[in-house]
Amino acid sequence: MTPALPHLAVALDGAGWHPAAWREPDARPAELFTAGYWTDLVREAERGALDLVTIEDSFGVGSTQDARVDRVYGRLDATLVAAAVAPRTSAIGLVPTVVATHTEPFHVSKAVASLDYASVGRAGYRVRISTSPAEFAHVGRREAGEVGELLAEAADHVEVVRRLWDSWEDDAEIRDAATGRFVDRSKLHYIDFTGQWFSVKGPSITPRPPQGQPPVVVLAHAAPVYRLAARAADVVLVTPRDPAHATELLAEVRAEELAVGRPTPLHVFGELVVFLDETTAGATGRLARLDERDGGELRSDAAVFAGTVDDLADLLLDLCAAGLTGIRLRPGALPHDLVAVTRGLVPRLQARGSFRRHYTEGTLRARLGLARPANRYAEVTR
Amino acid sequence: MSRPRKEIHLAAHFPGVNNTTVWSDPAAGSHIEFDSFRHFARTAERARFDFLFLAEGLRLREQGGEIYDLDVMGRPDTFTVLAALSAVTDRLGLAGTINSTFNEPFEVARQFATLDHLSGGRAAWNVVTSWDAFTGENFRRGGFLAEADRYRRAERFLRAAWTLFDSWRGDEILADKASGRFLTAPGPGAFTHRDDHFDIAGHFPVPRSPQGRPVIFQAGDSNEGREFAAATADAIFSRHGTLEAGKAFYADVKGRLARYGRTPESLKVLPAATFVLGDTDEDARERAAVVRRQQVSGQTAIKLLEQVWNRDLSGYDPDGPLPEEDPRVGTDHIARGRASVRMTRDPLAVARQWRELAAEKNLSIRELMIEVGARQTFVGSPRTVADAIDELVQADASDGFILVPHLTPGGLDVFADTVVPLLQERGAFRTEYSGTTLREHLGLPTS
C-alpha cells in the first residue's frame, strides 16, 4: 500500500535556503566548496531514507549588483558535486540542477547518463532555464532571450537528452568474438533532431544508462512551465500556499497534461522552506533571528514553515491528502533543518506508518514507481 | 659529472576506443561501468602514479558510411567520471581531455575549478582542439571552425579560462560567523575577456581552487602544437617514446621554453607507451605477438587498410596480398571521426612503402598491418621494462610515460605489482606521495 507520504525529497543549496543560514552555530561555511561537506549532507539525507536530494545550480553567483559581504557567494557545478557524492552513498537519488539555456544537450545527456552509471541507477536532473542577462554575458554566445522562447528551447533540450539516452539499445554491446563485432550497429540510432535552436545527429557516445531514462524534474510556478513539465518531465515541483492551493495547482498541472496529451500523470511534489525546532516558538524565534541578521524578512517563492516536526508532519500529510504525490523540503539552515527532517520528522512519519522505513527499490525510477521504459527506437526497428 | 637521478613520472591512460584495447580477451571487462574506473584508478594510486588520464571522443566513428563496430566503443562523460573517481582516491591526479571547439570557456572553467575543489587539487586538463564538422553535428556550435583557426581558438579558449581561474585570488572568503562577513570585499570573481573568439564578462562563481589553475596538458605534435605547449602547457603528451625520437622531441620542446621565460622543469614530456610483460623476455615477446594478433583481426586489418586506401576493400582476403589498385586520393574520406586518418597526408607514398615491405617480407594484408601498426613500446620481463623506462628518462628522452594497457580494467595491475617496485627499489620512482596536489606530484611551479 502506498504510504500517506509517498515521496520526500530535500533541496540542498549552499548553507541552506536562508541567506543568513551560514552563521548558525552548526553551519560549516568554510567548507561549502569541499566534497566532504556535500557528502555529509547527502549521507544524512540517506539516513532518513529520503527519495532523493536535489542540488541547486545556476550560471551566476547570486547578488553581485549589491555590495553585500554578509551572504554566501559562489557555487560549484552541481552535476560534479553529485558525481563526487555518488560512490560515497548507496541508495538515495541524486538530482543535480542543469541549466538548459547555456549547455549542450549532448554533454548533458552523457553527464547524467554517467552519473547514473556511477550511482548504479540513482541519477536524475532538474532542468531549468536562465533568464539573467548577467548569465548570458558569462557565456557570451548570444543576447538574453524572452522566457517563452527559453522554455521552448529547454523542451527541445530535454527531448535531445532523452533521445540520446535511447540512442543505444540496451543490448547494443554484443562483444561477439565469432563475428569480430563489439556492437550490433543496428541497435545504435541516429537521433536526427532538428529544431529552431540546434540540431543534434547522435548517437550518444555513452550507452543507455542503467535506468534507461533517468527522471527529469522541473520546478514550476506558472502554466507555461507546467506545460514544459507535462511535455518533458517525470516530476514537477510546485509551490502551494496551503492544501487548498495545492488542489488548485494540481488541477492546473493536470490541465496542461491533458493539453499536451501526456499519457501518464506527472509526480507533483509540493515545495516548502522549513525551519524546525522543539517548539513552535523556538522555530519562529530562530527564523526571526536569521531574518534580523540578514536585515529583512526571508523572501521565498515557496511557502515558509517554521514550527515543530509534528506540525510539519501534519501539514505534509494534508498536502498529500490534497493530491500531491510528494514533498521537496528546502532546509532553512544546514545541517540543522536537514537533521531535524531525518531524525525528527521522518521517525514521526514512520511511527504513523506514513513513510517508508527503509529503502527497498534499487533505482530512483523504481522508487518513484516508474517502470524502466522501453527504448523508443527499439520498436521502430523490430 | 653525475647529475641527480631524475624522478620518473608515471600515468595511467584508461584503455581507449581503438584497436589497441583488446575486448575479445576473457579478462576484458566493462569500459562503461564505474567499477572498472574505480579498479583502474585504485591500481594507479596503489602504484603511486602521478595521474589517471581519460581521452575524449564526441562522435562514434564511421567507416564506409556505417558506424564502426569492430573496436571497443562508447565511453562515459569525462568530467563526471573524474569527479566520481575523486571520491574513491586520495592523491591520484585526475586528467581529462576536453575539447576547446565544442565547449565554452565559462562552463569548462567552472567544471575544472569544481573538480579541483572536489579532489583537493588533483585536476588536469588536456586541451585539444578540433575542426571536425563530423563531430560538430552533435553540437549547437556545429563544425564552424576552419582548420587553420584551431590553435588560435584553443589558445584564446585557454587564456579565457585562465582569466576565470585567476579571477579569485584565494583570500576572498572569510566565512566569519561572529562578524557576519562571508566575504572580505563585495563581488569577487569579476572578469572580462575579449578577443576575436570570445567576448565574456561578469563574475566567476567558483572560488580559487587548491591548484589555482588545473595542470594543463597539450598533445599537438606539429610546430604550432609544440609552440602552443611551450607557451602554455605544464605537460606534453607526446608520441615519441623511443630513444632517438624521444631525445629529439624532448630537446626541441624544452628548448622552446626559454623564450617564454620558463625553466625546463616547468614542462614535463610524457610519451604514451604500451607494454607487455612476461616472466622472461622471451615469454613477453610471445605474449606481445599474441596481443598484436588480437588487436589486428582479419576484419580489422581490412578496415585499417581501407583507412589508407580510402576505398571499400571488403572483398579482399586479409590473409591474401595487398590490392593492386592504388589508394583513392580525395578530400571525402571513407573513415570519419579519426584523427589518424586526417594525418595520413600522402596515401600514395604510404601504399608504395607498404607494397615494398609486403613484397620483401612476403606479408599478407593482416601480417602487414600488424607489422606497420604501432607495436608495444615496452616488451620484456619486469626488470627489462623497468631498465628501459629508467634509461629513457635518464637519457632525456622523456620525463616519464603515460601507460596505455590493452585490457580494461585489470591491464595495469601486473605493471603496478612487478615493474613499479623495481623502479622504487632503485630510487627512480616515489614510494609515497610527498604532496597532495598533482602540481606537487609533477614538480611543477605553483600557479
Side-chain angles (χ1 to χ4, degrees):
Chain A
M1 201 189 95
T2 309
L5 178 62
H7 303 293
L8 184 58
V10 163
L12 300 179
D13 187 23
W17 287 77
H18 197 289
W22 68 273
R23 297 179 66 184
E24 287 289 273
D26 64 347
R28 295 159 64 183
E31 297 172 56
L32 300 180
F33 306 99
T34 65
Y37 174 74
W38 293 95
T39 301
D40 289 348
L41 293 177
V42 179
R43 282 182 172 166
E44 183 62 38
E46 192 168 69
R47 182 190 164 110
L50 304 190
D51 290 74
L52 60 95
V53 293
T54 59
I55 302 171
E56 298 303 303
D57 207 352
S58 83
F59 265 52
V61 277
S63 51
T64 51
Q65 65 275 38
D66 56 38
R68 294 187 78 138
V69 295
D70 64 340
R71 287 180 166 180
V72 167
Y73 182 99
R75 65 167 74 249
L76 300 177
D77 180 285
T79 304
L80 298 187
V81 170
V85 169
R88 294 167 162 128
T89 52
S90 59
I92 196 162
L94 301 169
V95 181
T97 296
V98 169
V99 178
T101 312
H102 303 306
T103 54
E104 291 281 0
F106 192 87
H107 289 317
V108 169
S109 182
K110 67 184 161 66
V112 177
S114 302
L115 179 62
D116 207 38
Y117 279 105
S119 64
V120 199
R122 296 185 284 128
Y125 79 104
R126 172 164 89 88
V127 63
R128 59 169 296 186
I129 60 167
S130 158
T131 56
S132 136
E135 295 181 22
F136 278 81
H138 286 165
V139 182
R141 194 159 50 196
R142 56 181 176 165
E143 300 295 314
E146 155 299 292
V147 172
E149 292 224 335
L150 295 173
L151 287 171
E153 184 192 20
D156 280 2
H157 198 282
V158 177
E159 174 66 16
V160 169
V161 167
R162 287 187 178 283
R163 286 194 197 178
L164 287 167
W165 284 337
D166 277 354
S167 65
W168 291 56
E169 293 184 39
D170 292 319
D171 52 355
E173 188 181 309
I174 52 173
R175 295 183 184 239
D176 186 31
T179 60
R181 293 176 307 147
F182 182 77
V183 292
D184 177 351
R185 67 163 80 93
S186 73
K187 295 182 175 179
L188 300 176
H189 303 276
Y190 297 107
I191 68 163
D192 283 321
F193 181 88
T194 305
Q196 189 177 339
W197 296 275
F198 41 77
S199 306
V200 176
K201 179 77 182 172
S204 179
I205 56 160
T206 306
R208 195 168 193 241
Q211 294 181 99
Q213 294 276 323
V216 177
V217 179
V218 168
L219 169 64
H221 304 88
V225 195
Y226 299 144
R227 180 159 295 200
L228 167 67
R231 280 216 173 96
D234 300 285
V235 180
V236 61
L237 308 169
V238 299
T239 50
R241 289 185 301 273
D242 52 45
H245 189 218
T247 308
E248 288 171 34
L249 295 181
L250 208 55
E252 289 189 50
V253 170
R254 299 299 177 225
E256 293 302 333
E257 289 176 349
L258 201 63
V260 302
R262 184 186 172 91
T264 55
L266 282 158
H267 269 297
V268 185
F269 286 12
E271 298 268 289
L272 280 176
V273 187
V274 292
F275 298 86
L276 300 167
D277 236 303
E278 301 288 317
T279 63
T280 303
T284 52
R286 230 178 100 241
L287 174 56
R289 193 177 74 232
L290 285 162
D291 282 349
E292 194 187 315
R293 279 194 169 156
D294 193 53
E297 199 175 314
L298 173 65
R299 294 198 301 186
S300 170
D301 58 318
V304 176
F305 175 91
T308 65
V309 293
D310 286 303
D311 289 345
L312 179 60
D314 290 339
L315 174 58
L316 301 190
L317 295 177
D318 287 348
L319 286 166
C320 288
L324 299 181
T325 55
I327 302 289
R328 182 174 82 149
L329 297 176
R330 305 180 187 175
L334 293 167
H336 179 97
D337 294 303
L338 171 63
V339 173
V341 167
T342 54
R343 305 190 193 201
L345 174 72
V346 166
R348 299 279 197 303
L349 290 165
Q350 288 169 333
R352 298 192 203 178
S354 302
F355 188 65
R356 77 172 67 84
R357 288 195 170 271
H358 41 77
Y359 293 110
T360 49
E361 305 85 359
T363 68
L364 178 56
R365 275 192 78 90
R367 189 168 309 135
L368 294 173
L370 303 170
R372 191 171 187 280
N375 190 317
R376 73 194 65 196
Y377 297 110
E379 293 175 351
V380 177
T381 51
R382 288 303 121 81
Chain B
M1 73 140 281
S2 76
R3 66 171 190 180
R5 182 188 280 277
K6 277 167 73 186
E7 193 191 23
I8 297 170
H9 297 283
L10 292 176
H13 185 315
F14 192 83
V17 292
N18 49 52
N19 72 307
T20 303
T21 306
V22 174
W23 56 261
S24 55
D25 193 287
S30 171
H31 63 296
I32 300 293
E33 285 167 20
F34 185 66
D35 280 349
S36 289
F37 291 91
R38 183 194 330 247
H39 178 108
F40 192 75
R42 285 187 167 163
T43 299
E45 184 162 89
R46 166 164 67 82
R48 306 292 181 257
F49 273 35
D50 292 71
F51 61 92
L52 167 146
F53 178 81
L54 300 181
E56 183 189 53
L58 297 171
R59 174 106 191 237
L60 298 182
R61 288 167 179 160
E62 295 184 5
Q63 191 156 330
E66 292 186 308
I67 290 172
Y68 191 84
D69 61 359
L70 301 180
D71 291 344
V72 164
M73 55 191 295
R75 57 174 111 222
D77 177 66
T78 297
F79 278 122
T80 311
V81 172
L82 294 178
L85 287 175
S86 76
V88 298
T89 54
D90 291 319
R91 291 287 182 270
L92 185 68
L94 302 167
T97 300
I98 294 293
N99 205 293
S100 61
T101 306
F102 305 113
N103 291 289
E104 297 295 338
F106 182 85
E107 190 180 16
V108 168
R110 205 170 84 96
Q111 288 168 312
F112 271 115
T114 296
L115 179 63
D116 207 47
H117 276 288
L118 294 172
S119 65
R122 299 188 279 141
W125 174 16
N126 181 34
V127 185
V128 301
T129 173
S130 171
W131 70 97
D132 185 350
F134 175 70
T135 304
E137 287 177 1
N138 281 336
F139 295 95
R140 285 177 188 257
R141 303 200 61 91
F144 67 96
L145 205 59
E147 179 174 352
D149 283 344
R150 64 198 196 105
Y151 275 109
R152 193 174 177 81
R153 179 172 167 99
E155 192 260 344
R156 300 290 195 264
F157 193 108
L158 186 56
R159 297 213 180 274
W162 278 344
T163 300
L164 298 168
F165 295 134
D166 293 347
S167 65
W168 291 69
R169 293 182 311 271
D171 58 358
E172 292 89 345
I173 294 181
L174 202 57
D176 181 46
K177 292 182 189 179
S179 68
R181 289 176 75 90
F182 187 81
L183 296 170
T184 52
F191 69 89
T192 306
H193 178 96
R194 294 204 166 90
D195 60 35
D196 52 343
H197 280 265
F198 303 105
D199 180 359
I200 57 175
H203 291 79
F204 189 57
V206 188
R208 194 161 184 86
S209 72
Q211 291 189 111
R213 299 172 179 180
V215 171
I216 300 297
F217 280 70
Q218 231 290 306
D221 198 35
S222 63
N223 183 52
E224 263 182 309
R226 293 178 188 202
E227 205 60 29
F228 180 48
T232 61
D234 299 304
I236 186 160
F237 189 166
S238 107
R239 297 189 188 88
H240 308 286
T242 60
L243 184 63
E244 289 315 314
K247 282 170 75 170
F249 181 83
Y250 192 94
D252 178 87
V253 294
K254 298 247 178 179
R256 296 173 190 243
L257 293 168
R259 121 180 46 139
Y260 299 99
R262 304 179 65 193
T263 62
E265 298 73 38
S266 66
L267 177 68
K268 297 294 187 276
V269 175
L270 301 172
T274 52
F275 60 89
V276 178
L277 294 162
D279 294 339
T280 63
D281 289 352
E282 183 51 34
D283 176 38
R285 274 193 292 274
E286 282 168 20
R287 286 174 191 236
V290 172
V291 171
R292 289 296 293 143
R293 288 184 69 78
Q294 288 179 314
Q295 290 169 331
V296 186
S297 67
Q299 290 147 297
T300 295
I302 295 293
K303 293 291 183 188
L304 292 174
L305 196 67
E306 284 184 351
Q307 289 166 19
V308 171
W309 253 250
N310 200 20
R311 292 177 186 281
D312 177 359
L313 301 176
S314 55
Y316 284 84
D317 176 4
D319 297 320
L322 284 172
E324 294 197 354
E325 57 193 336
D326 275 330
R328 189 172 63 89
V329 180
T331 48
D332 62 318
H333 205 282
I334 191 167
R336 302 207 290 170
R338 245 176 231 282
S340 60
V341 166
R342 296 196 293 265
M343 283 182 285
T344 308
R345 299 292 186 189
D346 188 353
L348 292 172
V350 172
R352 215 157 34 237
Q353 284 169 18
W354 285 4
R355 284 210 173 97
E356 285 167 17
L357 185 64
E360 182 194 325
K361 297 196 174 179
N362 190 26
L363 302 175
S364 68
I365 290 174
R366 185 179 182 198
E367 288 164 340
L368 177 76
M369 296 322 294
I370 289 173
E371 179 78 16
V372 300
R375 59 203 52 239
Q376 296 93 350
T377 318
F378 301 113
V379 177
S381 69
R383 185 157 301 281
T384 299
V385 171
D387 287 346
I389 288 173
D390 196 21
E391 278 164 25
L392 286 163
V393 172
Q394 303 311 329
D396 283 347
S398 81
D399 292 310
F401 290 91
I402 298 178
L403 296 164
V404 193
H406 64 269
L407 286 177
T408 309
L412 193 64
D413 297 12
V414 63
F415 188 97
D417 293 335
T418 63
V419 180
V420 168
L422 295 174
L423 292 172
Q424 289 170 330
E425 231 169 60
R426 66 181 74 180
F429 190 65
R430 70 174 71 83
T431 52
E432 284 303 332
Y433 292 106
S434 56
T436 58
T437 68
L438 178 55
R439 267 182 199 286
E440 290 172 303
H441 302 342
L442 289 170
L444 296 169
T446 50
S447 66

